[in-house]
């Protein structure tokens, strides 16, 4: 059992940005590569197309630059870079070092690998750096999952894709946007979803599906409890974009209407660490969040990890106006 003290950070999101590579791969194109169909993929996953191409550092830097611009902050204003990824460009150094150089940041940089829960883990870590004295942290989730996909395995190649999403978090005297958070891992289930060095992803799809539904609910409940909120208080859910049916089932179990979710899976596929910031940015840009709203981020992934956070939206992203 972990022990946490909520509301210790005094920070909020002040800018967001995303990046998706140019190449779009449709379900119909995939149906020419493996024994599948647009109908099967759409019905079973909610995905109709996904993006391929790019490098993890390149996509991360593009999303990071967009988040800095959104926040109206110069690279010199960032005190720490936390990059969530399961597909670093190299084993060493951390991809965050490459991104730091590309963005012209003068600060510490580190990678976090918590699989698809990585962005929420990193967001919480970023709030931690601010609680310890930093002013601003750039948090990015970026993936080139294309690299570790077996393009002959129809159970995985239809799901995973590339992308990046970023958020600038800043110390705030007005209090914190992070009302509650929860992270967990159950290493006993690591054989459900893994990738050996130099190989491709293995996934026991149904086992992951069943576990995902349970941990999404459990983690969300922990964060809501810490935030002193109930499911009725949640205005927007930003779930990990793994499978629309996982999200529908989790929402039902939590008692939150599916209409309150932000979904981009139809056009992005599963982008692991990038999926939550891509969906959050989409909601922000489409005016689906207003100041004072309670936003629940919740994800799960290999490990098996899970993570959630309840944010009280400050209305600041982006300060671009
Ligand atoms: O980021 C976290 C990681 N991953 C996930 O969250 C994935 C969780 N799991 C899933 O999303 C689903 O389990 C899948 C999308 C991977 C599979 O969907 P499913 O509804 O669980 O299908 P299934 O594995 O039960 O397979 C049903 C049938 C099988 O055929 P038979 O044995 O019934 O004849 C599969 O061989 O569907 C077949 N199948 C496909 N058919 C057409 C599996 N993949 C495909 C495909 N196209 N792409």
């Amino acid at each position: 059992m972990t022990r946490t003290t909520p509301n210790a950070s005094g920070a909020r999101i002040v800018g967001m940005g995303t990046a998706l590579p140019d190449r779009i791969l449709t379900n119909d194109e995939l149906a020419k590569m493996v024994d599948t169909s647009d109908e099967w993929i759409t019905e079973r996953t909610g995905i109709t197309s996904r993006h391929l191409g790019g490098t993890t550092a390149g996509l991360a830097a593009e999303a990071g630059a967009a988040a800095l611009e959104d926040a109206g902050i110069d690279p010199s204003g960032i005190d720490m870079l936390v990059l969530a990824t399961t597909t670093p460009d190299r084993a060493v150094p951390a991809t965050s070092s490459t991104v730091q150089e590309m963005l012209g940041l003068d600060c510490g940089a580190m990678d976090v690998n918590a699989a698809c829960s990585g962005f929420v883990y990193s967001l919480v870590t970023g709030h931690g750096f601010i609680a310890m004295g930093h002013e601003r942290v750039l948090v990015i989730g970026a993936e080139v999952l294309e690299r570790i996909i077996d393009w002959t395995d129809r159970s995985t190649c239809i799901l995973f894709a590339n992308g990046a999403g970023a958020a600038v978090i800043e110390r705030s005297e007005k209090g914190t946007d992070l009302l509650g958070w929860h992270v967990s891992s159950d290493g006993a289930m690591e054989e459900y979803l893994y990738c050996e060095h130099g190989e491709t992803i293995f996934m026991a799809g149904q086992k992951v599906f069943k576990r995902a539904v349970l941990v999404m609910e459990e983690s969300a409940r922990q964060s809501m409890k810490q935030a002193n909120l109930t499911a009725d208080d949640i205005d927007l859910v930003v779930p990990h974009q793994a499978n629309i049916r996982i999200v529908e089932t989790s929402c039902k179990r939590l008692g939150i209407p599916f209409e309150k979710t932000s979904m981009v899976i139809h056009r992005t596929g599963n982008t692991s660490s990038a999926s939550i910031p891509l969906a959050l940015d989409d909601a922000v840009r489409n005016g689906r969040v207003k100041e004072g709203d309670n936003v629940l981020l919740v994800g799960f992934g290999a490990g098996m990890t899970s993570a959630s956070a309840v944010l009280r939206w400050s209305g600041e992203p982006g300060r671009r106006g």
Side-chain angles (χ1 to χ4, degrees):
M1 177 61 91
T2 49
R3 290 151 296 275
T4 53
T5 306
N7 299 338
S9 55
R12 51 189 64 206
I13 294 176
V14 294
M16 295 208 62
T18 61
L20 289 165
D22 292 339
R23 162 100 170 95
I24 295 173
L25 181 69
T26 64
N27 289 350
D28 285 333
E29 285 175 88
L30 268 170
K32 291 179 190 147
M33 296 157 61
V34 288
D35 183 14
T36 191
S37 65
D38 174 43
E39 193 187 5
W40 193 96
I41 302 171
T42 307
E43 270 179 19
R44 299 288 185 116
T45 71
I47 303 168
T48 54
S49 65
R50 70 285 289 145
H51 291 252
L52 300 180
T55 62
T56 301
L59 293 171
E62 191 183 331
L68 288 174
E69 194 186 334
D70 191 37
I73 286 165
D74 190 77
S76 62
I78 297 295
D79 302 312
M80 182 70 200
L81 168 63
V82 185
L83 173 67
T85 187
T86 53
T87 49
D89 288 331
R90 293 164 155 180
V92 177
T95 301
S96 51
S97 293
T98 314
V99 175
Q100 179 201 30
E101 168 65 14
M102 288 171 92
L103 288 175
L105 307 178
D106 180 14
C107 64
M110 69 178 193
D111 285 10
V112 168
N113 180 351
C116 307
S117 309
F119 184 80
V120 177
Y121 264 77
S122 299
L123 192 68
V124 172
T125 303
H127 278 80
F129 275 108
I130 288 175
M132 293 297 286
H134 277 334
E135 192 68 23
R136 286 184 209 94
V137 180
L138 177 59
V139 182
I140 307 177
E143 303 285 359
V144 175
L145 287 158
E146 168 187 2
R147 262 185 207 141
I148 55 169
I149 290 169
D150 175 353
W151 289 99
T152 65
D153 175 6
R154 68 177 182 173
S155 68
T156 52
C157 74
I158 56 147
L159 294 174
F160 299 105
N162 306 350
V168 176
I169 55 173
E170 183 178 85
R171 171 182 299 282
S172 170
E173 298 314 319
K174 289 189 270 176
T176 185
D177 65 4
L178 187 62
L179 303 185
W181 58 273
H182 172 256
V183 296
S184 82
S185 173
D186 185 351
M189 294 184 187
E190 67 176 333
E191 298 307 319
Y192 287 7
L193 177 51
Y194 63 85
C195 180
E196 301 288 357
H197 283 299
E199 295 186 8
T200 52
I201 291 179
F202 168 83
M203 184 175 72
Q206 282 197 2
K207 285 184 176 159
V208 173
F209 192 112
K210 285 180 189 153
R211 181 69 189 164
V213 167
L214 294 178
V215 295
M216 293 262 282
E217 179 189 0
E218 194 181 304
S219 187
R221 287 198 189 282
Q222 295 264 7
S223 283
M224 289 191 299
K225 189 174 168 201
Q226 199 182 58
N228 263 324
L229 298 177
T230 68
D232 290 343
D233 300 317
I234 300 298
D235 300 293
L236 179 77
V237 182
V238 185
H240 170 42
Q241 314 280 305
N243 184 322
I244 197 168
R245 291 185 296 134
I246 292 177
V247 178
E248 284 167 349
T249 313
S250 303
C251 282
K252 200 173 277 179
R253 293 173 71 102
L254 281 164
I256 302 177
F258 179 74
E259 292 65 41
K260 285 191 177 179
T261 61
S262 176
M263 297 299 294
V264 293
I265 192 171
H266 55 284
R267 63 180 174 87
T268 63
N270 180 346
T271 56
S272 190
S273 303
S275 93
I276 286 180
L278 280 167
L280 179 57
D281 181 83
D282 189 78
V284 171
R285 268 159 225 289
N286 286 305
R288 291 189 60 198
V289 240
K290 58 182 188 316
E291 185 152 12
D293 277 358
N294 296 315
V295 181
L296 169 66
L297 315 183
V298 58
F300 68 93
M304 285 188 65
T305 59
S306 65
S308 59
V310 174
L311 306 176
R312 169 81 35 87
W313 201 251
S314 70
E316 292 204 54
R319 292 196 287 216
R320 68 201 179 285

